[in-house]
């Protein structure tokens, strides 16, 4: 079964969350109320830092298109995988993390048992 933060609860449960592994939990429909705000924020992020297919250290083009927001962004290129403060395509800092992203990350982490979590990077995949 494929599921995500926008899905309804599974038909065989009324639980709002499903344990996945020690320290990991799936929060059913947790982001649903923010869908419009999240999509609008994504449009703003991709206008500043467009989605792109990065290259693996082995020289292969990744199948997923990515971009980032927040103080750090994840990149992949022939030099390796890492987090960097600036978009390597523009040299500018990654777009600021929208408040709705940061708030969702903090609330989801708290619900999953990580009350002191604070996001410093957000990788967006298409």
């Amino acid at each position: 079964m494929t599921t995500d933060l926008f899905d309804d609860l599974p038909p065989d449960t009324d639980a709002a969350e499903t344990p996945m592994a020690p320290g990991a939990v799936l929060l059913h429909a947790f982001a649903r109320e923010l869908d419009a705000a999240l999509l609008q924020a994504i449009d703003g992020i991709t206008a500043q830092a467009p989605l792109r297919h990065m290259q693996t250290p082995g020289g292969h083009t990744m199948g997923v298109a990515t971009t980032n927001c927040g103080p750090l962004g994840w990149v992949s290129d022939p030099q390796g995988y890492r987090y960097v403060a600036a978009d390597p395509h523009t040299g500018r800092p990654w777009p600021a993390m929208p408040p709705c992203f940061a708030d969702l990350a903090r609330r989801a982490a708290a619900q999953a048992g990580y009350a002191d979590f604070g996001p410093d990077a957000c990788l967006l995949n298409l």
Side-chain angles (χ1 to χ4, degrees), residues 26-117:
L26 177 63
L27 303 173
H28 300 283
F30 195 79
R32 177 172 297 174
E33 68 192 38
L34 296 173
D35 60 354
L38 294 170
L39 290 171
Q40 183 176 7
I42 290 168
D43 286 344
I45 293 163
T46 57
Q48 296 174 62
L51 291 156
R52 75 284 307 252
H53 293 271
M54 294 191 191
Q55 191 176 45
T56 67
H60 301 284
T61 300
M62 298 181 77
V64 63
T66 65
T67 193
N68 297 275
C69 65
L72 298 172
W74 183 87
V75 299
S76 175
D77 60 23
Q79 286 73 47
Y81 305 113
R82 63 195 177 283
Y83 286 91
V84 297
D87 181 340
H89 290 264
T90 66
R92 295 188 311 252
W94 295 105
M97 187 179 305
C100 62
F101 277 39
D103 179 60
L104 177 63
R106 281 190 290 274
R107 289 188 311 109
Q111 181 70 30
Y114 300 94
D116 296 328
F117 176 77

